[in-house]
Amino acid sequence: MPDIVVRHIDDATAERIKSLARERRWSINEVILHALRYGLGLSPGDTFNDMLVVPGDIARLAGTWDASEQAAFDEALCALAAASREELCRAGIEERKAAAAGG
Protein backbone atom coordinates (compact mmCIF):
# COMPACT_ATOMS: atom_id res chain seq x y z
CA MET A 1 0.00 0.00 0.00
CA PRO A 2 1.30 3.44 -0.78
CA ASP A 3 2.11 5.97 1.90
CA ILE A 4 0.95 9.55 1.41
CA VAL A 5 2.30 12.53 3.33
CA VAL A 6 -0.12 15.36 4.04
CA ARG A 7 1.51 18.72 4.74
CA HIS A 8 0.23 21.99 6.17
CA ILE A 9 -2.55 20.59 8.38
CA ASP A 10 -4.03 23.46 10.36
CA ASP A 11 -4.00 23.29 14.16
CA ALA A 12 -7.77 22.85 14.52
CA THR A 13 -7.80 19.86 12.16
CA ALA A 14 -4.80 18.26 13.87
CA GLU A 15 -6.41 18.71 17.30
CA ARG A 16 -9.70 17.20 16.08
CA ILE A 17 -7.87 14.19 14.67
CA LYS A 18 -6.02 13.70 17.97
CA SER A 19 -9.24 14.16 19.94
CA LEU A 20 -11.09 11.54 17.89
CA ALA A 21 -8.17 9.15 18.27
CA ARG A 22 -8.22 9.55 22.06
CA GLU A 23 -12.01 9.28 22.31
CA ARG A 24 -12.23 6.16 20.17
CA ARG A 25 -8.91 4.67 21.29
CA TRP A 26 -7.80 4.55 17.67
CA SER A 27 -4.46 5.45 16.18
CA ILE A 28 -4.18 8.80 14.43
CA ASN A 29 -3.64 6.88 11.19
CA GLU A 30 -6.94 5.01 11.64
CA VAL A 31 -8.85 8.26 12.18
CA ILE A 32 -7.30 9.84 9.09
CA LEU A 33 -7.99 6.75 6.95
CA HIS A 34 -11.65 6.68 8.03
CA ALA A 35 -12.02 10.42 7.40
CA LEU A 36 -10.48 10.09 3.93
CA ARG A 37 -12.61 7.08 3.00
CA TYR A 38 -15.78 8.83 4.11
CA GLY A 39 -14.84 12.14 2.54
CA LEU A 40 -14.12 10.45 -0.78
CA GLY A 41 -17.39 8.51 -0.72
CA LEU A 42 -15.68 5.16 -0.35
CA SER A 43 -17.26 4.24 2.96
CA PRO A 44 -20.87 3.46 3.89
CA GLY A 45 -22.76 5.47 6.50
CA ASP A 46 -24.63 8.72 6.73
CA THR A 47 -22.09 10.60 8.79
CA PHE A 48 -18.46 10.28 9.79
CA ASN A 49 -19.64 9.93 13.39
CA ASP A 50 -21.62 6.79 12.52
CA MET A 51 -18.46 5.26 11.10
CA LEU A 52 -16.64 5.73 14.40
CA VAL A 53 -18.89 3.19 16.13
CA VAL A 54 -17.52 -0.31 15.90
CA PRO A 55 -19.98 -2.42 13.85
CA GLY A 56 -21.72 -4.99 16.02
CA ASP A 57 -20.65 -3.24 19.22
CA ILE A 58 -23.16 -4.05 21.96
CA ALA A 59 -22.94 -0.44 23.18
CA ARG A 60 -24.72 0.64 20.03
CA LEU A 61 -27.71 -1.48 21.02
CA ALA A 62 -27.88 -0.19 24.59
CA GLY A 63 -26.80 3.40 23.94
CA THR A 64 -23.46 5.12 24.18
CA TRP A 65 -21.86 8.03 25.96
CA ASP A 66 -21.15 11.22 24.12
CA ALA A 67 -17.57 12.50 23.96
CA SER A 68 -17.84 14.63 27.13
CA GLU A 69 -19.28 11.71 29.14
CA GLN A 70 -16.54 9.39 27.87
CA ALA A 71 -13.88 11.98 28.74
CA ALA A 72 -15.28 12.38 32.27
CA PHE A 73 -15.33 8.60 32.76
CA ASP A 74 -11.76 8.25 31.45
CA GLU A 75 -10.62 11.04 33.79
CA ALA A 76 -12.28 9.31 36.76
CA LEU A 77 -10.61 6.00 35.86
CA CYS A 78 -7.21 7.70 35.63
CA ALA A 79 -7.74 9.32 39.04
CA LEU A 80 -8.68 5.96 40.55
CA ALA A 81 -5.69 4.27 38.96
CA ALA A 82 -3.35 6.94 40.34
CA ALA A 83 -4.77 6.83 43.88
CA SER A 84 -3.27 4.54 46.46
CA ARG A 85 -5.37 1.98 48.30
CA GLU A 86 -4.92 3.96 51.53
CA GLU A 87 -6.18 7.17 49.91
CA LEU A 88 -9.27 5.42 48.58
CA CYS A 89 -10.03 3.80 51.96
CA ARG A 90 -9.56 7.11 53.77
CA ALA A 91 -11.84 8.89 51.29
CA GLY A 92 -14.53 6.22 51.70
CA ILE A 93 -14.42 6.47 55.50
CA GLU A 94 -14.65 10.26 55.38
CA GLU A 95 -17.57 10.08 52.98
CA ARG A 96 -19.46 7.67 55.24
CA LYS A 97 -18.81 9.88 58.28
CA ALA A 98 -20.08 12.95 56.40
CA ALA A 99 -23.19 11.11 55.24
CA ALA A 100 -23.92 9.87 58.78
CA ALA A 101 -23.49 13.35 60.24
CA GLY A 102 -25.75 14.93 57.62
CA GLY A 103 -28.50 12.32 57.68
Side-chain angles (χ1 to χ4, degrees), residues 53-54 56-66 69:
V53 177
V54 176
D57 186 356
I58 189 101
R60 189 162 195 180
L61 300 175
T64 58
W65 292 341
D66 65 23
E69 292 168 323

Side-chain angles (χ1 to χ4, degrees), residues 24-81:
R24 305 299 176 176
R25 299 180 192 269
W26 287 6
S27 69
I28 288 174
N29 192 66
E30 288 172 312
V31 172
I32 293 169
L33 284 174
H34 279 277
L36 284 171
R37 286 184 190 122
Y38 178 76
L40 295 171
L42 298 174
S43 198
D46 293 335
T47 64
F48 180 65
N49 219 18
D50 287 343
M51 291 172 36
L52 295 176
V53 177
V54 176
D57 186 356
I58 189 101
R60 189 162 195 180
L61 300 175
T64 58
W65 292 341
D66 65 23
S68 64
E69 292 168 323
Q70 182 66 48
F73 182 74
D74 289 342
E75 184 179 333
L77 284 179
C78 287
L80 283 171

